[in-house]
Each structure stands twice: as C-alpha cells, then as structure tokens.
C-alpha cells in the first residue's frame, strides 16, 4: 500500500508539473499576443495619423476646405451647395472636351488626329482651377481662372499652361 501511495503521489506531482508548464506557456503566449496587439494598434494609429496629415496637406488648397473662398461664393453669388457648385464648374470645363479641335482651355492645338482633352480638375478656391490634360501621348497641366456671372454662367481664362516633353525610350 505504501508503494501505491508513492505511485499516486508521483503521478499527481507529474500531472501538476504538466499543468503548471501548460499554464505558464499559454500565459506567456497570450501576453505576447496582447503586446503584439497593442503594438499593432499603436502602429495602426500612427499610420492613420500620418495618412490624415497627408490628406490635410493635399486638401490645403481646395475649395471644399477654404472657408474664405466659400464665404466669397455665398455672399457674391448666393451659392448654397459647394459640392454641387464645384461639380457644375467641372462639368462646364469638361464640356469643352467635346470640341473636334479639343478643349481650348488646354492652350494646346490639335496634333494630328489626337486632340487635347482635360482629364481631371481641382478647384483651388473661388477663382482658380488646376487641371491636367493629355492627347494620349503627351501630358500637361493648366492653371485657369474661372468666373461666375450673376446668372450663373461660368467662363474660363487660361493663366498658364505646361506641356511635358515626350519621353523617349
């Protein structure tokens, strides 16, 4: 009986060691996971903050974020909806892309069969637009002034234009 008692005590001691070992290894891995999760969360927050700063820098020159330009538009033309107004100006400029000679506000003449058209537009404030244009082979950028009369008609004026040289391979 004494042998049985020692055998049972030995088995219990081995089982306690196994369970203790499992407990501490699982505790260590869970601590590592929580530390990893915390560091991942901190890294994600840093990345989000960085991207937020980049977006703010990009939008520093935009009609949507320029309170003074918006106030000017509200007071002078009774415009209530800035996004709708911005879309109206963009569409008025894109309408000139339909011309057979290309968009006259690119400040470029048609080269062969390819006409220059405006691809994208950004309203900088209540008076200026920057746009990029291309004919499929050559690319450029143009700075425009735009005006809105009392009736809501939009007119444009070229300030400056630049056509990038063709890249030779």
């Amino acid at each position: 009986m004494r042998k049985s008692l020692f055998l049972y005590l030995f088995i219990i001691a081995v089982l306690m060691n196994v369970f203790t070992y499992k407990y501490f290894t699982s505790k260590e891995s869970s601590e590592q996971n929580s530390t990893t999760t915390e560091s991942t969360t901190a890294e994600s927050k840093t990345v989000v903050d960085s991207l937020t700063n980049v977006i703010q820098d990009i939008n520093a020159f935009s009609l949507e974020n320029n309170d003074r330009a918006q106030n000017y538009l509200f007071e002078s033309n009774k415009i209530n909806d800035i996004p709708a107004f911005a879309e109206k100006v963009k569409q008025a400029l894109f309408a000139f892309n339909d011309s057979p000679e290309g968009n006259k506000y690119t400040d470029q003449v048609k080269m062969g069969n390819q006409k220059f058209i405006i691809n994208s537009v950004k309203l900088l404030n209540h008076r200026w637009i920057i746009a990029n244009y291309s004919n499929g082979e050559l690319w450029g950028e143009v700075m425009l002034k735009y005006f809105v009369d009392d009736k809501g008609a939009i007119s444009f004026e070229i300030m400056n234009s630049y056509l990038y040289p063709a890249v030779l391979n």
Side-chain angles (χ1 to χ4, degrees), residues 23 71 89 111 114 129:
Y23 171 77
N71 289 338
V89 172
M111 293 184 182
Q114 299 173 328
I129 295 174

Side-chain angles (χ1 to χ4, degrees), residues 93-94 96-97 101-108 116-118:
L93 187 56
F94 286 141
F96 291 100
N97 285 347
E101 297 299 312
N103 194 317
K104 65 182 180 180
Y105 294 109
T106 61
D107 201 24
Q108 304 297 326
F116 284 95
I117 61 170
I118 291 181

